[in-house]
Amino acid sequence: QVQLVESGGGLVQVGDSLRLSCTASGRNIFAYTMAWFRQAPGKERVFVARIGWSTGSTYYSDSVKDRFTISVANAKNTVYLEMNSLKPEDTAVYYCAAGFWAINEYPYWGQGTQVTVSS
């Protein structure tokens, strides 16, 4: 079992920056790919970014590429999502997930953190 706890959400203005954190605990956490997803009001949850603990290899959705950066701090068992140049369409609940990118399955999820970008 893996437990994930997100933090760092909040209300910001257009163009602001925000950093989300996800702290992982449990068994074999470094065996998983870590990812961020988001769910806007009335919409399905969608992929944002992913990273491997040991490789540091990253992948982003087109909508956030060049604005968001995913990173890990292995010593802290923490994954970060640095979000810059925020837009109103970035407003969503952001979820941290642990799983297997190759088969696109993420069995473990955090509780989510709200990000609201006000214009």
Side-chain angles (χ1 to χ4, degrees), residues 1-40:
Q1 288 291 333
V2 173
Q3 295 78 43
L4 304 172
V5 179
E6 303 104 331
S7 62
L11 173 63
V12 296
Q13 301 295 313
V14 169
D16 282 353
S17 298
L18 199 61
R19 188 178 78 163
L20 306 182
S21 300
C22 171
T23 300
S25 60
R27 297 184 62 183
N28 301 319
I29 60 172
F30 296 114
Y32 299 98
T33 294
M34 300 301 297
W36 287 95
F37 290 75
R38 67 186 182 186
Q39 186 168 21

Side-chain angles (χ1 to χ4, degrees), residues 21-100:
S21 300
C22 171
T23 300
S25 60
R27 297 184 62 183
N28 301 319
I29 60 172
F30 296 114
Y32 299 98
T33 294
M34 300 301 297
W36 287 95
F37 290 75
R38 67 186 182 186
Q39 186 168 21
K43 296 188 177 181
E44 294 186 353
R45 187 159 54 188
V46 296
F47 169 81
V48 174
R50 68 169 185 252
I51 189 168
W53 285 108
S54 57
T55 66
S57 177
T58 60
Y59 184 77
Y60 298 90
S61 69
D62 288 342
S63 62
V64 306
K65 194 163 44 178
D66 300 327
R67 296 189 299 122
F68 290 11
T69 302
I70 188 171
S71 61
V72 294
N74 289 33
K76 296 181 180 180
N77 293 358
T78 300
V79 180
Y80 302 101
L81 185 69
E82 184 76 34
M83 305 183 293
N84 299 314
S85 302
L86 283 162
K87 305 175 182 180
E89 51 263 44
D90 294 318
T91 295
V93 178
Y94 284 71
Y95 296 92
C96 177
F100 310 98

Side-chain angles (χ1 to χ4, degrees), residues 99-114:
F100 310 98
W101 71 269
I103 56 174
N104 197 30
E105 286 191 6
Y106 292 87
Y108 305 107
W109 295 83
Q111 81 286 356
T113 186
Q114 176 71 47

